[in-house]
Amino acid sequence: RALDRRLYLLLYGDGNAAPSRKPVWHFPEKVYDSEETLRKCAESALASVLGDLSHTYFVGNAPMGHMVIQQMENVPEPFKRFFFKSQVIDTNKFNIRKCEDFVWVTKDELLEYFPEQAEFFKKMIIS
């Protein structure tokens, strides 16, 4: 599937900003708790889905972007969602867990899953 292109992992299930905790498509995510850095938090989020991160490379220590999520019914104040870029290298077998479903999408397909955030993703990922 799209062997000559980068693919992005999306999970279907409970998302942290989903209204009424309904299942939604989202990236691997985790609420920042007490990790030393945001990158450690991002690594923990990905490890909770993939398990072993030995075939994963995080590009840099800083987030590649962030999005401010406005008030939701279960979150009284706006919060920031940070995005880190990571790559899975040298493996083609995954044991993806903690979700109802998952999909690997190209950059163009990504916009179909997040039409409300299309401009943000165009700037952050596609540009």
Side-chain angles (χ1 to χ4, degrees):
R1 161 146 167 71
L3 292 176
D4 61 336
R5 301 176 72 190
R6 276 205 179 109
L7 298 175
Y8 298 85
L9 174 62
L10 297 179
L11 309 173
Y12 185 75
D14 292 337
N16 289 328
S20 304
R21 305 299 285 178
K22 292 180 182 175
V24 295
W25 287 104
H26 60 89
F27 290 99
E29 62 184 6
K30 179 183 183 297
V31 174
Y32 178 79
D33 185 23
S34 60
E35 294 84 5
E36 292 178 32
T37 63
L38 286 175
R39 177 178 162 162
K40 292 284 186 192
C41 183
E43 290 173 356
S44 175
L46 192 56
S48 73
V49 176
L50 294 181
D52 179 23
L53 294 184
S54 62
H55 296 286
T56 307
Y57 169 72
F58 274 77
V59 181
N61 291 318
M64 64 183 284
H66 78 278
M67 175 186 294
V68 176
I69 307 296
Q70 296 303 320
Q71 293 181 344
M72 305 297 284
E73 60 188 58
N74 59 341
V75 180
E77 297 179 20
F79 64 94
K80 293 180 183 174
R81 174 174 285 154
F82 292 91
F83 293 87
F84 280 80
K85 187 176 196 176
S86 63
Q87 299 175 347
V88 178
I89 302 169
D90 194 36
T91 188
N92 59 6
K93 191 169 187 173
F94 302 96
N95 183 18
I96 297 175
R97 53 187 183 224
K98 291 196 175 184
C99 63
E100 295 177 33
D101 198 4
F102 68 92
V103 64
W104 292 91
V105 297
T106 64
K107 292 177 188 180
D108 298 327
E109 294 167 336
L110 182 66
L111 301 180
E112 297 171 20
Y113 287 85
F114 302 105
E116 298 85 24
Q117 293 92 15
E119 286 304 311
F120 172 77
F121 286 121
K122 282 180 185 177
K123 290 177 187 174
M124 184 178 75
I125 295 175
I126 297 175
S127 298

